[in-house]
Amino acid sequence: MNAGEGAEQSEHAAENPPVRRLSAWDGDELRDLAAAYETPLYVMDLGRVRENCQRLRAAFPDADVRYAAKAHTGRAVLEAVREAGLGIECASAGEVERAFAAGAAGKEVQYTAVNPPDRDLDVVVDRWLSEPELTVTVGARDTVDRLRERGFDGRLCVRVNPGVGAGHHEKVTTGGHAKFGVPSSEAEAVVRDARDDFDVVGIHAHAGSGISGDDLSTHREVVRRMGDLARDVAAHVDLEFVDVGGGFGVPYREEEPPLDLSAVAEATREALGEVDAQLAVEPGRYVVADAGVVLTTVNTVKASGEYETVVGIDAGMTTLLRPAMYDAYHAIRNLSAGDDRSAIPVTVAGPICETSDVLCEHRPLAAPTRGDVLAVGNAGAYGYEMASTYNSRPRPAEVVLDPEPRLTRRRESLAALTELEQ
Ligand SMILES: *Cc1c(COP(=O)(O)O)cnc(C)c1O
């Protein structure tokens, strides 16, 4: 590398940093969006989604990078991801349908069947008749039988339980959990049994959602086992790919360093060893997490001598479930407070009648007053996707920046809550 190239690279790095912190969002623009579209509101920046895709492709230049759609299935996001050259990994028939609706080609779509209901298999096999290049990943012998019964003889991938797992929380650790994948001791036999009836194109493992800089050893171990398995099954089938899963971590805390993607890529290559198949990875969170924020309005400020000040907001666990479900940390910024307001420790709570409906406790925040607009960071992944209508609370609206704002999901109406009732 000469000096000119170095300068060019660092210039590029400045345009496409490894993480976008909540503090880097334009506060005035977010406040305007809250005023125009009301709150609670999801804001997704498609430009940032594209940057994340580019960094992944640059770190894994010869791998097939597949976006795990369950992190965010909005059509605009799926289109942006696809245009950036990523495939789409789907966890259900609904996601498969959405991937095709977003213009994906059959070869770009993987359906990972986790205890698939009959209805899902029916829809996917039906779709396969017109999209014969789509791939179905199975995690149990009887899923293979159920596909056979439906006349499916297309592209098949076998999901293996890697025996080890990793995750930021036990609820997102999949590897090593009996629910996911065929036991590794049976994997070779499942591949051998399937090869006559199907086009066995790949093997797959996903350890969980928690690859972080200081936890690469688990990732290495999973990939090493997959490399061994790929070499073992090479005697029976010509594998097209070895998919080592997603789980690329993002720094939710402002002081946490970003993931070193090139270190992950290097560890992956090294652990995989020589295999006669293409490497595939399937990050979800990494693609969309820092591309999204939730905007919410303060509706109540309850100061109490005995307890910490409670800041009531119009977004709750029905808007963003992660804090209640995973004890997840999300950065919060008061967009309405200037430098004149000093920080006080607060509990930020939603409007749902549940103790767990709390976004944070003991958090220093520029002293909120009623009507302030707060931004909640890193909400692009597993945010809107996990929104619910619990407490008869309609789901929020969503706007994408492309770069101009565009309403992509209307705010759910109260009338819609009873639409399905007979
Ligand atoms: C959820 C999931 C992913 C993506 O996990 P992230 O933590 O969002 O990267 C990838 N593969 C499979 C099979 C999954 O279930």
Short mmCIF file of all heavy atoms in Angstrom, two decimals, residues 66-71 89-91 112 114 159 168 172 174 180 204-211 243 245-249 281-288 381-382, ligand 1:
data_model
loop_
_atom_site.label_atom_id
_atom_site.label_comp_id
_atom_site.label_asym_id
_atom_site.label_seq_id
_atom_site.Cartn_x
_atom_site.Cartn_y
_atom_site.Cartn_z
N ARG A 66 -25.50 -13.22 3.58
CA ARG A 66 -26.96 -13.31 3.56
C ARG A 66 -27.51 -12.55 4.75
O ARG A 66 -27.05 -12.75 5.88
CB ARG A 66 -27.38 -14.78 3.68
CG ARG A 66 -26.78 -15.62 2.58
CD ARG A 66 -26.79 -17.08 2.90
NE ARG A 66 -26.29 -17.85 1.76
CZ ARG A 66 -26.13 -19.16 1.76
NH1 ARG A 66 -26.41 -19.86 2.84
NH2 ARG A 66 -25.70 -19.77 0.68
N TYR A 67 -28.48 -11.73 4.50
CA TYR A 67 -29.10 -10.94 5.56
C TYR A 67 -30.17 -11.77 6.26
O TYR A 67 -31.09 -12.28 5.61
CB TYR A 67 -29.70 -9.67 4.96
CG TYR A 67 -30.61 -8.91 5.88
CD1 TYR A 67 -30.15 -8.44 7.11
CD2 TYR A 67 -31.94 -8.65 5.52
CE1 TYR A 67 -31.00 -7.74 7.96
CE2 TYR A 67 -32.78 -7.96 6.37
CZ TYR A 67 -32.31 -7.51 7.59
OH TYR A 67 -33.14 -6.82 8.44
N ALA A 68 -30.06 -11.94 7.58
CA ALA A 68 -31.08 -12.65 8.35
C ALA A 68 -32.26 -11.71 8.54
O ALA A 68 -32.26 -10.82 9.39
CB ALA A 68 -30.52 -13.11 9.69
N ALA A 69 -33.30 -11.92 7.73
CA ALA A 69 -34.38 -10.94 7.59
C ALA A 69 -35.16 -10.72 8.88
O ALA A 69 -35.81 -9.68 9.03
CB ALA A 69 -35.33 -11.37 6.49
N LYS A 70 -35.12 -11.66 9.81
CA LYS A 70 -35.97 -11.50 10.98
C LYS A 70 -35.58 -10.29 11.83
O LYS A 70 -36.38 -9.83 12.64
CB LYS A 70 -35.97 -12.77 11.83
CG LYS A 70 -34.70 -13.05 12.62
CD LYS A 70 -34.92 -14.32 13.46
CE LYS A 70 -33.83 -14.56 14.47
NZ LYS A 70 -32.58 -15.08 13.86
N ALA A 71 -34.39 -9.73 11.61
CA ALA A 71 -33.99 -8.53 12.36
C ALA A 71 -34.84 -7.32 11.95
O ALA A 71 -35.10 -6.44 12.77
CB ALA A 71 -32.51 -8.23 12.13
N GLU A 89 -31.83 -14.53 4.26
CA GLU A 89 -32.06 -15.74 5.05
C GLU A 89 -33.37 -15.55 5.79
O GLU A 89 -33.57 -14.56 6.49
CB GLU A 89 -30.88 -15.95 6.01
CG GLU A 89 -30.82 -17.30 6.65
CD GLU A 89 -31.61 -17.39 7.95
OE1 GLU A 89 -31.82 -16.36 8.60
OE2 GLU A 89 -32.02 -18.51 8.29
N CYS A 90 -34.28 -16.52 5.62
CA CYS A 90 -35.64 -16.35 6.13
C CYS A 90 -35.94 -17.41 7.20
O CYS A 90 -35.55 -18.56 7.07
CB CYS A 90 -36.64 -16.52 5.00
SG CYS A 90 -36.34 -15.38 3.63
N ALA A 91 -36.69 -16.99 8.22
CA ALA A 91 -37.00 -17.89 9.33
C ALA A 91 -38.42 -18.43 9.26
O ALA A 91 -38.83 -19.20 10.13
CB ALA A 91 -36.78 -17.16 10.65
N THR A 112 -34.76 -21.15 6.46
CA THR A 112 -34.26 -22.00 7.55
C THR A 112 -35.46 -22.46 8.37
O THR A 112 -36.07 -21.68 9.09
CB THR A 112 -33.27 -21.21 8.43
OG1 THR A 112 -32.23 -20.71 7.58
CG2 THR A 112 -32.65 -22.11 9.49
N VAL A 114 -37.21 -23.97 11.23
CA VAL A 114 -37.06 -24.33 12.64
C VAL A 114 -38.42 -24.86 13.13
O VAL A 114 -39.38 -24.12 13.21
CB VAL A 114 -36.66 -23.11 13.50
CG1 VAL A 114 -36.59 -23.49 14.98
CG2 VAL A 114 -35.33 -22.55 13.03
N ARG A 159 -28.84 -28.16 8.66
CA ARG A 159 -28.41 -27.37 9.81
C ARG A 159 -27.91 -28.30 10.90
O ARG A 159 -28.58 -29.26 11.28
CB ARG A 159 -29.57 -26.54 10.35
CG ARG A 159 -29.16 -25.70 11.55
CD ARG A 159 -30.25 -24.75 11.98
NE ARG A 159 -29.78 -23.84 13.02
CZ ARG A 159 -30.44 -22.78 13.45
NH1 ARG A 159 -31.62 -22.49 12.93
NH2 ARG A 159 -29.95 -22.02 14.40
N HIS A 168 -25.40 -12.79 23.57
CA HIS A 168 -25.33 -11.71 24.55
C HIS A 168 -26.26 -11.99 25.71
O HIS A 168 -26.25 -11.31 26.72
CB HIS A 168 -25.66 -10.37 23.88
CG HIS A 168 -27.02 -10.29 23.26
ND1 HIS A 168 -28.15 -10.10 24.01
CD2 HIS A 168 -27.43 -10.42 21.97
CE1 HIS A 168 -29.21 -10.10 23.19
NE2 HIS A 168 -28.80 -10.29 21.97
N VAL A 172 -30.73 -15.81 23.47
CA VAL A 172 -30.37 -15.72 22.05
C VAL A 172 -29.20 -16.64 21.72
O VAL A 172 -28.55 -16.50 20.69
CB VAL A 172 -30.04 -14.28 21.60
CG1 VAL A 172 -31.28 -13.39 21.72
CG2 VAL A 172 -28.89 -13.71 22.41
N THR A 174 -28.20 -20.12 20.51
CA THR A 174 -28.87 -21.23 19.83
C THR A 174 -27.99 -22.46 19.76
O THR A 174 -28.45 -23.58 19.97
CB THR A 174 -29.27 -20.81 18.40
OG1 THR A 174 -28.12 -20.30 17.75
CG2 THR A 174 -30.35 -19.77 18.43
N PHE A 180 -32.16 -26.58 18.01
CA PHE A 180 -31.68 -26.14 16.71
C PHE A 180 -30.71 -27.13 16.07
O PHE A 180 -29.65 -27.42 16.63
CB PHE A 180 -30.99 -24.78 16.82
CG PHE A 180 -31.92 -23.70 17.32
CD1 PHE A 180 -31.89 -23.30 18.64
CD2 PHE A 180 -32.84 -23.11 16.47
CE1 PHE A 180 -32.75 -22.32 19.11
CE2 PHE A 180 -33.70 -22.13 16.91
CZ PHE A 180 -33.65 -21.73 18.24
N HIS A 204 -24.96 -25.93 7.52
CA HIS A 204 -25.24 -24.67 8.18
C HIS A 204 -25.14 -24.83 9.70
O HIS A 204 -25.51 -25.87 10.24
CB HIS A 204 -26.66 -24.25 7.79
CG HIS A 204 -27.24 -23.10 8.56
ND1 HIS A 204 -27.73 -23.23 9.84
CD2 HIS A 204 -27.41 -21.80 8.23
CE1 HIS A 204 -28.18 -22.05 10.26
NE2 HIS A 204 -28.00 -21.17 9.31
N ALA A 205 -24.66 -23.80 10.37
CA ALA A 205 -24.72 -23.74 11.83
C ALA A 205 -24.82 -22.29 12.24
O ALA A 205 -24.32 -21.40 11.55
CB ALA A 205 -23.46 -24.36 12.45
N HIS A 206 -25.53 -22.04 13.32
CA HIS A 206 -25.63 -20.67 13.84
C HIS A 206 -25.50 -20.80 15.36
O HIS A 206 -26.33 -21.44 16.00
CB HIS A 206 -26.99 -20.06 13.44
CG HIS A 206 -27.29 -18.74 14.08
ND1 HIS A 206 -26.53 -17.61 13.83
CD2 HIS A 206 -28.26 -18.36 14.94
CE1 HIS A 206 -27.04 -16.59 14.52
NE2 HIS A 206 -28.07 -17.02 15.21
N ALA A 207 -24.46 -20.18 15.90
CA ALA A 207 -24.17 -20.38 17.33
C ALA A 207 -25.04 -19.51 18.22
O ALA A 207 -25.28 -19.82 19.37
CB ALA A 207 -22.70 -20.10 17.59
N GLY A 208 -25.53 -18.39 17.68
CA GLY A 208 -26.31 -17.47 18.50
C GLY A 208 -25.93 -16.05 18.16
O GLY A 208 -25.16 -15.81 17.23
N SER A 209 -26.50 -15.12 18.91
CA SER A 209 -26.28 -13.72 18.58
C SER A 209 -25.30 -13.10 19.56
O SER A 209 -25.70 -12.44 20.50
CB SER A 209 -27.61 -12.98 18.61
OG SER A 209 -28.40 -13.40 17.52
N GLY A 210 -24.04 -13.34 19.36
CA GLY A 210 -23.12 -12.77 20.33
C GLY A 210 -21.66 -12.78 19.96
O GLY A 210 -20.80 -12.87 20.83
N ILE A 211 -21.34 -12.68 18.66
CA ILE A 211 -19.92 -12.62 18.31
C ILE A 211 -19.41 -11.24 18.69
O ILE A 211 -19.89 -10.23 18.20
CB ILE A 211 -19.71 -12.84 16.80
CG1 ILE A 211 -20.21 -14.22 16.39
CG2 ILE A 211 -18.25 -12.65 16.44
CD1 ILE A 211 -20.11 -14.48 14.90
N ASP A 243 -22.29 -22.56 5.57
CA ASP A 243 -22.86 -21.36 6.19
C ASP A 243 -22.58 -21.42 7.70
O ASP A 243 -23.02 -22.35 8.37
CB ASP A 243 -24.37 -21.34 5.91
CG ASP A 243 -25.04 -20.06 6.35
OD1 ASP A 243 -24.55 -19.43 7.31
OD2 ASP A 243 -26.06 -19.69 5.75
N GLY A 245 -23.38 -19.05 9.92
CA GLY A 245 -24.35 -18.32 10.73
C GLY A 245 -24.07 -16.83 10.85
O GLY A 245 -23.21 -16.26 10.19
N GLY A 246 -24.87 -16.21 11.71
CA GLY A 246 -24.74 -14.77 11.93
C GLY A 246 -24.28 -14.51 13.35
O GLY A 246 -23.43 -15.21 13.87
N GLY A 247 -24.88 -13.50 13.97
CA GLY A 247 -24.53 -13.22 15.36
C GLY A 247 -23.44 -12.18 15.53
O GLY A 247 -22.90 -12.02 16.63
N PHE A 248 -23.13 -11.44 14.48
CA PHE A 248 -22.11 -10.39 14.58
C PHE A 248 -22.62 -9.30 15.54
O PHE A 248 -23.65 -8.69 15.29
CB PHE A 248 -21.83 -9.77 13.21
CG PHE A 248 -21.25 -10.74 12.21
CD1 PHE A 248 -21.97 -11.84 11.78
CD2 PHE A 248 -19.97 -10.55 11.70
CE1 PHE A 248 -21.43 -12.75 10.87
CE2 PHE A 248 -19.43 -11.44 10.78
CZ PHE A 248 -20.15 -12.54 10.37
N GLY A 249 -21.89 -9.07 16.60
CA GLY A 249 -22.36 -8.18 17.66
C GLY A 249 -22.26 -6.71 17.29
O GLY A 249 -21.45 -6.30 16.46
N VAL A 281 -22.08 -16.37 5.37
CA VAL A 281 -22.38 -15.83 6.70
C VAL A 281 -23.76 -15.18 6.61
O VAL A 281 -24.19 -14.76 5.52
CB VAL A 281 -21.33 -14.80 7.19
CG1 VAL A 281 -20.00 -15.48 7.47
CG2 VAL A 281 -21.14 -13.66 6.17
N GLU A 282 -24.45 -15.09 7.75
CA GLU A 282 -25.81 -14.54 7.69
C GLU A 282 -26.11 -13.61 8.86
O GLU A 282 -26.90 -13.92 9.74
CB GLU A 282 -26.84 -15.67 7.60
CG GLU A 282 -26.56 -16.81 8.54
CD GLU A 282 -27.52 -17.98 8.39
OE1 GLU A 282 -27.93 -18.27 7.25
OE2 GLU A 282 -27.86 -18.57 9.42
N PRO A 283 -25.49 -12.44 8.84
CA PRO A 283 -25.75 -11.45 9.89
C PRO A 283 -27.11 -10.78 9.73
O PRO A 283 -27.54 -10.52 8.61
CB PRO A 283 -24.63 -10.43 9.69
CG PRO A 283 -24.29 -10.52 8.24
CD PRO A 283 -24.51 -11.95 7.85
N GLY A 284 -27.78 -10.55 10.83
CA GLY A 284 -29.03 -9.80 10.81
C GLY A 284 -28.84 -8.47 11.52
O GLY A 284 -28.83 -7.39 10.92
N ARG A 285 -28.63 -8.58 12.83
CA ARG A 285 -28.48 -7.40 13.68
C ARG A 285 -27.46 -6.41 13.12
O ARG A 285 -27.70 -5.20 13.09
CB ARG A 285 -27.99 -7.89 15.06
CG ARG A 285 -27.79 -6.80 16.10
CD ARG A 285 -27.15 -7.41 17.37
NE ARG A 285 -27.75 -8.68 17.71
CZ ARG A 285 -28.88 -8.82 18.38
NH1 ARG A 285 -29.52 -7.76 18.79
NH2 ARG A 285 -29.38 -10.01 18.63
N TYR A 286 -26.31 -6.92 12.68
CA TYR A 286 -25.22 -6.05 12.25
C TYR A 286 -25.64 -5.14 11.09
O TYR A 286 -25.16 -4.02 10.95
CB TYR A 286 -24.02 -6.90 11.82
CG TYR A 286 -22.76 -6.09 11.68
CD1 TYR A 286 -21.93 -5.87 12.76
CD2 TYR A 286 -22.43 -5.50 10.46
CE1 TYR A 286 -20.79 -5.09 12.64
CE2 TYR A 286 -21.29 -4.72 10.33
CZ TYR A 286 -20.47 -4.53 11.43
OH TYR A 286 -19.35 -3.75 11.31
N VAL A 287 -26.56 -5.62 10.27
CA VAL A 287 -26.96 -4.87 9.08
C VAL A 287 -27.86 -3.69 9.43
O VAL A 287 -27.79 -2.63 8.81
CB VAL A 287 -27.69 -5.82 8.09
CG1 VAL A 287 -28.22 -5.06 6.88
CG2 VAL A 287 -26.75 -6.94 7.65
N VAL A 288 -28.71 -3.87 10.45
CA VAL A 288 -29.75 -2.86 10.67
C VAL A 288 -29.74 -2.17 12.04
O VAL A 288 -30.40 -1.13 12.21
CB VAL A 288 -31.16 -3.46 10.43
CG1 VAL A 288 -31.42 -3.63 8.95
CG2 VAL A 288 -31.35 -4.78 11.16
N ALA A 381 -32.63 -3.25 14.80
CA ALA A 381 -32.70 -4.72 14.75
C ALA A 381 -33.59 -5.24 15.86
O ALA A 381 -33.43 -4.85 17.02
CB ALA A 381 -31.30 -5.32 14.89
N TYR A 382 -34.51 -6.13 15.52
CA TYR A 382 -35.41 -6.73 16.50
C TYR A 382 -36.18 -5.64 17.26
O TYR A 382 -36.48 -5.78 18.44
CB TYR A 382 -34.64 -7.66 17.46
CG TYR A 382 -33.83 -8.68 16.71
CD1 TYR A 382 -32.45 -8.54 16.54
CD2 TYR A 382 -34.45 -9.77 16.11
CE1 TYR A 382 -31.70 -9.46 15.81
CE2 TYR A 382 -33.71 -10.69 15.37
CZ TYR A 382 -32.35 -10.53 15.23
OH TYR A 382 -31.63 -11.45 14.50
C1 LIG B 1 -31.36 -14.95 14.04
C2 LIG B 1 -30.51 -15.72 13.10
C3 LIG B 1 -29.43 -15.10 12.46
C4 LIG B 1 -29.03 -13.68 12.71
O1 LIG B 1 -28.62 -13.41 14.00
P1 LIG B 1 -28.05 -11.93 14.31
O2 LIG B 1 -27.65 -11.98 15.73
O3 LIG B 1 -29.16 -10.98 14.07
O4 LIG B 1 -26.92 -11.70 13.39
C5 LIG B 1 -28.73 -15.83 11.54
N1 LIG B 1 -29.03 -17.12 11.28
C6 LIG B 1 -30.06 -17.75 11.87
C7 LIG B 1 -30.35 -19.15 11.54
C8 LIG B 1 -30.82 -17.07 12.81
O5 LIG B 1 -31.84 -17.70 13.41
#
